[in-house]
Amino acid sequence: MLRSILFPSMYLWLSHVTYSYSEMPVLEDISLSVGKGEWIAIYGVSGSGKTTLLKMLGTLIRARSGMYEIGGRNIYTLSLSALRTLRRKHFGYILSDHHFLEDMTVRENILLSHTLNRISYDTKRLDMLLSILEMEAFLDVGMSHLSTWQRDRVAIIAGLVHNPLCIIIDEPWSSLHEDMRSRLYTLLEHERKDGKIILSASHDPLLQNLTTQSYILYDHTLHPYTSQK
């Protein structure tokens, strides 16, 4: 049922949503529509609400008011079980606050969801991601032995290995050197051309050369980002 909702006509539509922490407004009157094959960049200073907006788009938090539809379906009418299935099957999360099980290996962390839910994975896709991000040699290394940049690469692979239709990215390249960042951008551009939706928060203006829409968050609201590419 969920696949029929999202595929092949997956699109996201936020309509006049708001969000606040206690009485402190974070997002006010946010509207946004995103279709297949689009890469949306969201800019803004730290604390402007970028991560909150991404988590809302990824169904990890719920708007205080307004509507959020995916494929024409109001997701706030879905059961908790259906939402979990939606996230697991169709969303890939690459967040700055990723959490790993330190007593497990890189392989075990990447495939944790597959193991817990007893579902298979595409070995060729895993091998492709490991190769692009140069992590093949670390697959059976314990997470506690990895550096920050290696952990960031593991987070990227874990977020993409199940071939999600919508990829949520919260500044995953801050620790990556220029060559590796270029590899990641090329990988994501390929995913976009394959029809995936990419939603990213970043401080990197170079993303404008790749994204199809760019916005900036300030004063709790979303505005077109009009800097020259």
Side-chain angles (χ1 to χ4, degrees), residues 2-12 34-39 70 86-93 125 159-168 191-192 194-199:
L2 287 172
R3 179 163 289 277
S4 66
I5 294 171
L6 297 179
F7 186 84
S9 59
M10 183 178 189
Y11 65 90
L12 315 178
V34 189
K36 283 182 62 181
E38 291 198 75
W39 184 344
I70 299 179
L86 173 67
R87 294 171 190 143
R88 185 179 71 249
K89 289 187 175 182
H90 300 298
F91 280 83
Y93 303 97
R125 182 170 175 86
L160 298 178
V161 69
H162 60 296
N163 202 19
L165 294 176
C166 185
I167 303 167
I168 306 290
E191 296 288 282
R192 184 193 69 76
D194 195 38
K196 310 296 177 55
I197 290 175
I198 303 176
L199 306 167

Side-chain angles (χ1 to χ4, degrees), residues 2-142:
L2 287 172
R3 179 163 289 277
S4 66
I5 294 171
L6 297 179
F7 186 84
S9 59
M10 183 178 189
Y11 65 90
L12 315 178
W13 181 54
L14 280 181
S15 179
H16 304 289
V17 300
T18 64
Y19 192 84
S20 60
Y21 292 111
S22 299
E23 300 300 318
M24 181 69 67
V26 179
L27 303 174
E28 295 182 340
D29 197 29
I30 301 288
S31 294
L32 179 67
S33 61
V34 189
K36 283 182 62 181
E38 291 198 75
W39 184 344
I40 308 301
I42 301 170
Y43 299 97
V45 300
S46 296
S48 60
K50 300 188 302 298
T51 296
T52 299
L53 180 55
L54 284 184
K55 287 184 175 181
M56 184 182 295
L57 288 163
T59 78
L60 298 174
I61 60 175
R62 179 171 178 158
R64 304 300 189 206
S65 63
M67 183 179 293
Y68 184 22
E69 292 187 358
I70 299 179
R73 177 79 177 267
N74 182 356
I75 67 159
Y76 297 143
T77 66
L78 298 179
S79 67
L80 182 58
S81 175
L83 272 176
R84 287 172 176 164
T85 301
L86 173 67
R87 294 171 190 143
R88 185 179 71 249
K89 289 187 175 182
H90 300 298
F91 280 83
Y93 303 97
I94 308 171
L95 305 177
S96 55
D97 57 349
H98 45 258
H99 301 288
F100 296 116
L101 297 178
E102 299 297 324
D103 59 342
M104 288 187 174
T105 65
V106 168
R107 185 197 304 270
E108 290 168 332
N109 273 276
I110 289 173
L111 300 175
L112 182 60
S113 178
H114 296 78
T115 301
L116 292 176
N117 294 287
R118 298 181 180 180
I119 54 178
S120 61
Y121 64 94
D122 186 339
T123 57
K124 290 184 178 179
R125 182 170 175 86
L126 174 58
D127 290 343
M128 178 269 291
L129 294 170
L130 290 166
S131 177
I132 289 174
L133 295 173
E134 296 183 350
M135 288 297 292
E136 307 104 306
F138 300 92
L139 196 53
D140 295 308
V141 173

